[in-house]
């Protein structure tokens, strides 16, 4: 063993050979790009189920509806269990089942961006930041922008746009990408605990959401607001959407999401 980095329980190890400049094998590596928590979070977002990772020999937990085999890092068999998932999106025909499944995944992914634990954590962090709250209370757009840029540089937050208003509804500032979705809002309080205004933010842009949906469903995504088609959207090309739903654009207003399978 030459090196071992990382301590989080991880899944899906990948192995390879390390070669020198002449191509001769001189060692090997094992790595993982997804830890247990990250993979469990993705499965929960896609299925709506609770998820448990257990040793392969462990009995099925109560409420289990499905499972599949996996490999722990650096080795060892485990089983990933889904518990309490909603009813299967079944239709009278295979095409209807596919459409309902794709639609369910797309809407769940949107809900995670709008109200998921990560979004709520970012919202709390921003609203409670002293410099940000002071800028809102003073209606200072320069100080507000400096605070928001600092949030953008904090990679663990993954926030793409932040907008703040005073308690009277006056806009203090709106910084970030022009095409984002799933706004989340909360009150901002001053040092005395009084409501100084409100913050609305987004943790995902439109392009990122389109890529997520396409990655997990294979569907093309077309999104429209009242002002027109969102850049980066797929072309309908005369096709009828497999599934459509109405989301929320930033900071407000309808965002129509159409999926083409």
């Amino acid at each position: 063993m030459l090196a071992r980095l990382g301590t989080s329980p991880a899944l899906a190890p990948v192995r390879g050979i390390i070669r020198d400049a002449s191509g001769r094998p001189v060692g090997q590596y094992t790595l993982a790009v997804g830890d247990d928590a990250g993979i469990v979070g993705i499965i929960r977002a896609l299925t709506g189920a609770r998820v448990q990772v257990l040793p392969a020999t462990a009995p099925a937990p109560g409420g289990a509806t499905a499972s599949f085999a996996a490999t722990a890092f650096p080795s060892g068999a485990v089983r990933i269990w889904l518990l309490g998932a909603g009813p299967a999106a079944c239709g009278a025909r295979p095409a209807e089942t596919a459409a309902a499944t794709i639609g369910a995944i797309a809407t769940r992914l949107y809900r995670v961006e709008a109200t998921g634990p990560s979004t709520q954590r970012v919202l709390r962090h921003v609203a409670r930041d002293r410099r940000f709250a002071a800028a809102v209370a003073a209606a200072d757009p320069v100080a507000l922008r400096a605070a928001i840029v600092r949030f953008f540089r904090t990679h663990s937050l993954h926030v793409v746009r932040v907008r703040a208003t005073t308690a009277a509804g006056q806009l203090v500032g709106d910084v970030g990408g022009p095409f984002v979705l799933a706004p989340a809002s909360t009150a901002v309080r001053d040092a005395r605990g009084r409501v100084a205004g409100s913050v609305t933010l987004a943790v995902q842009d439109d392009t990122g959401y389109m890529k997520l949906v396409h990655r997990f469903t294979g569907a093309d995504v077309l999104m429209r607001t009242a002002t027109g088609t969102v850049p980066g959207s797929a072309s309908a090309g005369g096709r009828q959407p497999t599934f459509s739903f109405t989301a929320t654009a930033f900071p407000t207003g309808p965002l129509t999401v159409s999926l083409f399978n």
Side-chain angles (χ1 to χ4, degrees):
M1 179 71 70
L2 297 178
R4 181 184 178 93
L5 301 177
T7 58
S8 298
L11 296 168
V14 178
R15 295 175 175 79
I17 301 298
I18 302 171
R19 300 180 184 275
D20 64 15
S22 65
R24 294 178 302 179
V26 295
Q28 59 185 358
Y29 64 85
T30 303
L31 62 84
V33 298
D35 61 17
D36 285 15
I39 292 175
V40 164
I42 290 173
I43 296 171
R44 186 186 302 118
L46 295 174
T47 65
R50 292 179 290 115
V51 184
Q52 288 187 13
V53 181
L54 300 175
T57 56
T65 56
S67 70
F68 60 93
T71 304
F73 183 94
S75 63
V78 295
R79 196 156 195 89
I80 299 177
W81 292 91
L82 279 63
L83 295 79
C90 295
R93 294 175 296 178
E96 295 174 357
T97 299
T101 301
I102 290 171
I105 291 172
T107 52
R108 286 189 189 112
L109 288 174
Y110 175 80
R111 285 199 300 267
V112 167
E113 304 293 5
T115 62
S118 178
T119 302
Q120 295 305 307
R121 176 182 64 83
V122 174
L123 194 60
R124 288 192 299 270
H125 179 98
V126 170
R128 296 173 183 176
D129 183 88
R130 288 182 295 176
R131 282 177 281 184
F132 179 83
V136 174
D140 185 341
V142 175
L144 185 82
R145 181 178 180 84
I148 294 172
V149 169
R150 179 164 46 84
F151 297 144
F152 291 162
R153 291 173 176 168
T154 306
H155 298 298
S156 62
L157 293 180
H158 195 272
V159 59
V160 296
R161 186 168 171 179
V162 182
R163 174 187 176 94
T165 59
T166 66
Q170 173 191 350
L171 178 65
V172 182
D174 188 339
V175 184
F179 298 102
V180 303
L181 77 169
S185 301
T186 193
V188 177
R189 299 183 180 275
D190 62 18
R192 296 183 179 181
R194 300 173 301 186
V195 174
S198 65
V199 57
T200 300
L201 58 78
V203 300
Q204 183 63 274
D205 58 32
D206 291 355
T207 299
Y209 174 76
M210 293 180 208
K211 289 180 177 178
L212 278 176
V213 173
H214 183 75
R215 174 187 175 189
F216 289 119
T217 70
D220 296 327
V221 185
L222 170 61
M223 304 204 315
R224 292 191 180 97
T225 66
T227 60
T229 300
V230 174
S233 291
S235 172
R239 297 175 293 175
Q240 291 298 312
T242 301
F243 186 91
S244 295
F245 69 98
T246 301
T248 305
F250 191 98
T252 186
L255 173 68
T256 301
V257 181
S258 299
L259 310 176
F260 300 85
N261 187 23

